[in-house]
Amino acid sequence: MSEQHHKEKTARHLERLSEALDSGTQHQVRKLLGNLSAAEIGDLLESLPIAKRLAVWEMTDPELDGDVLVDVNDEVRATLIRGSTPEELVAAVGDLDLDDLADILDDLPNAVTTKVLNAMTQQDRVRLAQVMSYPEDSAGGLMDPDFLSIRPDVSLDVVLRYLRMREELPEVFDLLFVTDRNGRYLGSLRMSVLLTQPPDSVVEQLMDTSVKPIPVTMHAAQVVTEFEHHDLVTAPVVDHDNRLLGWISVDDVVDVIREAAEHTMLAGAGLDEEDDMFAPIVQSASRRWIWLGVNLVTAILAALVLYAFEPTLDQIVATAVLFPIVMSMGGIAGTQTLTLMIRGMATGQVSGSNANALLRRELAVGLLNGIVFSVVVAVIAMIWYNDVSLGVVMAVAILLNLLAGALAGALIPGILKKLSIDPALAGGVVLTTVTDVVGILAFVGLATYILLGT
C-alpha cells in the first residue's frame, strides 16, 4: 500500500468514526473498529480530540488494547493509560511479545507493572530485563528475545516435529537459527528448505551461513541498512561472544524507518513526534517557546547587523528592496546542503573518511550555482534600477552567500553532532542565522563601500 493510499484510508476511517461518534451510534463505532487493525486504530486515536479518543478507546476490542498501546505515541499512550483501570491494563499487556512489552513497561503504573511481572515465568522476566538493559535505538532494544533455535546435528523431520509441538509460531517467520550447545550462532535454516528437502536430511548440511548475525550493540539506523542491503526479513542478534540473544524482524525495522522519518520532518520545526497533537493548548504552546525564542534571538542578531548599516538603507532604497533576495538564495542553498548531509549521516554514508571530499564538492556546487545565479540576479538588478554598480554588488553578494550557505550546510551537522545536539533539530536555526548575517554583511556592506564610497 502506498503512503498516499494509507493517508486517504486513514482520513476516510476518521471521517466515518467522527460521524458515528457525533450521532451517538456506539454500534456503528464498534463495527468500524472491528474492521481495523491495532495500528489503524492507533492512527485514529492519535487523530481524535481527547474526549472522543477516550470514548473510542472504551469501545476497542480488549484483545487489541495491548497492541494499540504499543502503536500510539508516548503522550497518547499516557492518556489511554490514565483512562484505563489497572485490571484492564494488566489484561491488555499480559499477552504482548517481550520486545513490545519492554517498549511500554516504564509507562505503566507501578501496581500494573508488578502484577504483569509476577504473572510471568522467571525465564521471561530475565529475557525482559535483558531487552530493557539495551538502549531503545540499538539492536538489543529492537530484538525479540523469544527465538527458535535448533542444533546442527538433527534431521529435518525432528525439526518439523519440534515446530508442531509448539503452541504458536511468530507471525513473521522465515528462518530457524542454528546454534551449538553453548548457544553460539552457527547459521540459519530457511523455512523453504525445511519444507522442500527430504525429512532425513541433516540441518548442518542445509543450513545457510551467509546470513550474518547483528551485534546487539549495533545502532538501529545501521540495522535498517543491514536489512536493506541484504534483503532480510528476519535476522539473528548476538553478543560479543557470538551467543544468540534474540532476533529482529522486518516489522521492527519498518517502525524504525517510520519513526526516523517523522523525527526528521518534525524536528526541523522544533517539534517532537511523541507529542500529542490534541494536547492542552497551554502545554502545546509552552513546548514551542524554546525554538521560537531561539529564532527570535537569531532574528535580533540579523537585525542588529542590519541596523549597523542603517545609513546605507536610508540613502539607497534599492538595498532594502533587494537584500531579501540575497538572504533567501543563501538560505535555500544552505538548506539543500544541510539536508543532504543530515541524510548522509543518518544512513552512514557520511563519515570522517569522506567528509573533506563532500565539503569540497559542496563548495564547488555552491560556487557554480553562485556564478550562474549571481549573473542572473545582477542583470535583473541592472535592468530594474539602471545601475551597473548595484548589479555588481548583487552579483558578489549572491556568490558569497551561496558559498557561505554551502559551507555552513556542510559543517553544521558534524559540529552539532560533536556537541551532542540533534542536527535535524537545531541545524536549520543555525543555518538561517549564518546565511542571514553573511547575506546582510555581504550585500549592505558592499553597497556601503562601492555605492557610497565609504
Side-chain angles (χ1 to χ4, degrees):
M1 180 187 299
S2 67
E3 181 68 17
Q4 182 62 32
H5 181 62
H6 171 73
K7 292 177 182 178
E8 293 174 354
K9 185 178 180 182
T10 300
R12 289 197 300 270
H13 289 154
L14 181 61
E15 184 177 352
R16 292 171 185 168
L17 192 62
S18 296
E19 290 174 354
L21 286 169
D22 292 337
S23 65
T25 313
Q26 290 193 9
H27 173 72
Q28 184 65 20
V29 174
R30 294 182 188 277
K31 183 178 179 181
L32 287 170
L33 294 175
N35 295 323
L36 302 179
S37 67
E40 290 172 327
I41 294 173
D43 284 343
L44 290 178
L45 291 174
E46 290 180 348
S47 307
L48 290 170
I50 293 177
K52 288 185 176 181
R53 177 185 301 159
L54 293 176
V56 172
W57 175 240
E58 286 292 328
M59 289 181 274
T60 301
D61 185 348
E63 292 186 2
L64 296 178
D65 283 353
D67 292 319
V68 172
L69 287 174
V70 173
D71 284 319
V72 296
N73 67 42
D74 290 352
E75 286 202 355
V76 173
R77 182 184 305 124
T79 302
L80 299 180
I81 288 174
R82 288 194 297 270
S84 305
T85 66
E87 292 74 20
E88 289 172 338
L89 291 174
V90 171
V93 304
D95 293 328
L96 287 176
D97 293 337
L98 291 179
D99 56 335
D100 289 334
L101 179 59
D103 291 338
I104 67 170
L105 191 65
D106 289 338
D107 299 330
L108 300 173
N110 291 334
V112 174
T113 300
T114 300
K115 289 183 179 180
V116 171
L117 293 177
N118 288 339
M120 297 170 63
T121 65
Q122 177 62 26
Q123 183 183 35
D124 282 345
R125 282 197 293 270
V126 171
R127 288 178 171 177
L128 179 63
Q130 182 183 49
V131 173
M132 297 186 69
S133 68
Y134 297 106
E136 289 185 12
D137 58 354
S138 69
L142 294 176
M143 73 177 183
D144 184 345
D146 187 13
F147 55 86
L148 296 176
S149 64
I150 56 177
R151 298 285 182 263
D153 56 353
V154 300
S155 68
L156 300 189
D157 183 55
V158 171
V159 175
L160 286 169
R161 282 189 278 119
Y162 164 64
L163 295 180
R164 293 190 188 101
M165 288 174 58
R166 292 181 61 94
E167 293 183 359
E168 59 182 356
L169 297 174
E171 293 181 5
V172 180
F173 182 48
D174 72 323
L175 297 176
L176 284 168
F177 305 121
V178 184
T179 61
D180 62 19
R181 295 187 180 277
N182 295 316
R184 290 185 174 86
Y185 176 76
L186 300 176
S188 60
L189 180 69
R190 297 190 179 278
M191 290 298 296
S192 58
V193 172
L194 175 63
L195 297 174
T196 58
Q197 296 302 309
D200 58 351
S201 301
V202 178
V203 168
E204 188 173 22
Q205 300 171 340
L206 300 173
M207 70 179 186
D208 183 1
T209 58
S210 66
V211 179
K212 302 302 179 185
I214 291 177
V216 70
T217 55
M218 180 180 286
H219 194 277
Q222 183 60 36
V223 173
V224 172
T225 302
E226 292 295 313
F227 268 71
E228 177 189 5
H229 287 177
H230 301 290
D231 295 326
L232 300 177
V233 176
T234 57
V237 179
V238 299
D239 64 11
H240 63 281
D241 289 327
N242 206 44
R243 280 193 291 267
L244 185 63
L245 299 178
W247 62 294
I248 297 174
S249 63
V250 69
D251 59 333
D252 300 313
V253 173
V254 171
D255 289 340
V256 174
I257 296 171
R258 176 181 56 81
E259 290 169 4
E262 290 178 352
H263 174 75
T264 301
M265 178 178 63
L266 294 174
L271 302 175
D272 190 329
E273 66 272 20
E274 297 298 342
D275 290 348
D276 182 358
M277 68 189 329
F278 285 103
I281 293 173
V282 174
Q283 179 181 332
S284 296
S286 63
R287 284 177 174 156
R288 304 182 190 186
W289 289 347
I290 295 178
W291 287 106
L292 287 172
V294 170
N295 186 72
L296 176 61
V297 171
T298 60
I300 290 174
L301 177 60
L304 287 173
V305 176
L306 194 59
Y307 177 74
F309 294 98
E310 189 174 10
T312 303
L313 297 177
D314 290 339
Q315 296 183 51
I316 307 176
V317 178
T319 56
V321 176
L322 295 175
F323 82 78
I325 298 175
V326 178
M327 292 189 294
S328 175
M329 293 294 292
I332 293 297
T335 299
Q336 291 173 334
T337 302
L338 181 75
T339 303
L340 184 68
M341 295 297 289
I342 291 176
R343 177 187 177 278
M345 291 169 62
T347 58
Q349 293 176 319
V350 175
S351 64
S353 61
N354 63 2
N356 289 334
L358 279 170
L359 176 59
R360 291 192 297 270
R361 177 188 178 278
E362 288 304 310
L363 285 175
V365 171
L367 177 61
L368 179 58
N369 285 337
I371 292 172
V372 172
F373 284 96
S374 65
V375 171
V376 173
V377 175
V379 171
I380 293 173
M382 285 187 287
I383 295 174
W384 196 347
Y385 287 97
N386 194 28
D387 189 335
V388 175
S389 297
L390 182 60
V392 172
V393 169
M394 282 292 293
V396 176
I398 287 282
L399 178 59
L400 291 176
N401 209 22
L402 260 67
L403 284 172
L407 181 63
L411 294 180
I412 286 172
I415 294 173
L416 292 177
K417 189 174 182 180
K418 287 183 179 180
L419 296 174
S420 299
I421 300 174
D422 187 353
L425 183 62
V429 175
V430 178
L431 175 69
T432 300
T433 303
V434 171
T435 54
D436 283 359
V437 171
V438 171
I440 293 170
L441 284 173
F443 182 50
V444 187
L446 284 170
T448 301
Y449 287 99
I450 294 177
L451 300 181
L452 298 182
T454 60

